[in-house]
Amino acid sequence: SWSMESLIFFRVMQGALGAPAMGIGIVLLYEAFPARQRGLAMGLVLLIGSLGPTIGPTLGGYLVQEISWRAIFFLALPSGIATARGVVRALGAFVGRAVRYLAGDAGVQQFLHIGVGPPGKRNVHHVAQEKVPDARVVYVSDDPVVLADSHTLRRGSPEVPTGYVHGSLLHLAAVLEPAAATLDLHSPLA
């Protein structure tokens, strides 16, 4: 950061973006450890998490006074990057589990994916069509670059069309009309 105002701004952003780290961390531990080891793992995470508010301000004050306020940024940067990567992985895994459950156990056969991110290896239509081969998916994004990538990388089979709509959740009515070309809006939809 280049000024005290920008430092304050970035600290607020760090706090706002770091807030889900504890919950996501617990979810990641739940998936990573067998049932017999989860209690110890979660106890250690909570112990470390409870020490943060005690040690953080003291260490931060020392760094600001003795070294520089920029040192706080550089010390926090690796953990911020690691947290962001963990959040992206956890959210992708959650979407996969949710789609697998909805297509399998809940019997949903069509999906409307609003807010499409950059294409990945396993997209909603891949996961859904593993459970329901004729599952229909419509991707929605208001970013023309992401939408162009979606056209190239998210090909559905000719028998099972995959739709693409330029739009956003803010204008849902404008999204549903073109989505209806691929989806049956009178049937269950996830």
Side-chain angles (χ1 to χ4, degrees):
S1 95
W2 45 91
S3 68
M4 188 56 77
E5 292 79 17
S6 65
L7 175 66
I8 292 169
F9 171 78
F10 287 118
R11 290 291 287 167
V12 168
M13 293 302 294
Q14 180 185 18
L17 297 174
M22 182 61 79
I24 290 173
I26 290 173
V27 169
L28 293 174
L29 284 175
Y30 184 81
E31 291 181 353
F33 288 91
R36 291 179 37 204
Q37 296 176 345
R38 284 185 198 136
L40 177 62
M42 288 187 191
L44 289 173
V45 167
L46 293 174
L47 174 66
I48 293 167
S50 64
L51 292 176
T54 305
I55 295 172
T58 306
L59 180 59
Y62 174 78
L63 290 173
V64 166
Q65 194 148 29
E66 298 299 322
I67 301 173
S68 141
W69 53 267
R70 287 182 174 88
I72 295 173
F73 172 78
F74 289 114
L75 282 174
L77 187 61
S79 66
I81 291 170
T83 300
R85 290 182 65 180
V87 166
V88 168
R89 253 188 259 123
L91 289 175
F94 168 76
V95 169
R97 285 191 311 272
V99 170
R100 255 187 303 288
Y101 168 77
L102 290 166
D105 296 342
V108 175
Q109 297 185 7
Q110 47 184 10
F111 297 83
L112 182 63
H113 188 191
I114 300 176
V116 178
K121 294 177 185 172
R122 305 226 349 111
N123 297 299
V124 171
H125 73 276
H126 293 125
V127 176
Q129 290 172 358
E130 283 176 0
K131 294 285 187 178
V132 180
D134 60 343
R136 296 174 178 265
V137 178
V138 172
Y139 293 97
V140 179
S141 179
D142 60 357
D143 182 345
V145 174
V146 171
L147 202 60
D149 286 341
S150 295
H151 283 296
T152 304
L153 299 174
R154 291 190 170 124
R155 300 264 185 238
S157 66
E159 302 83 31
V160 185
T162 301
Y164 311 93
V165 175
H166 181 80
S168 75
L169 184 60
L170 298 175
H171 307 286
L172 191 56
V175 166
L176 292 176
E177 186 177 332
T182 303
L183 305 174
D184 176 6
L185 300 181
H186 301 291
S187 295
L189 174 70

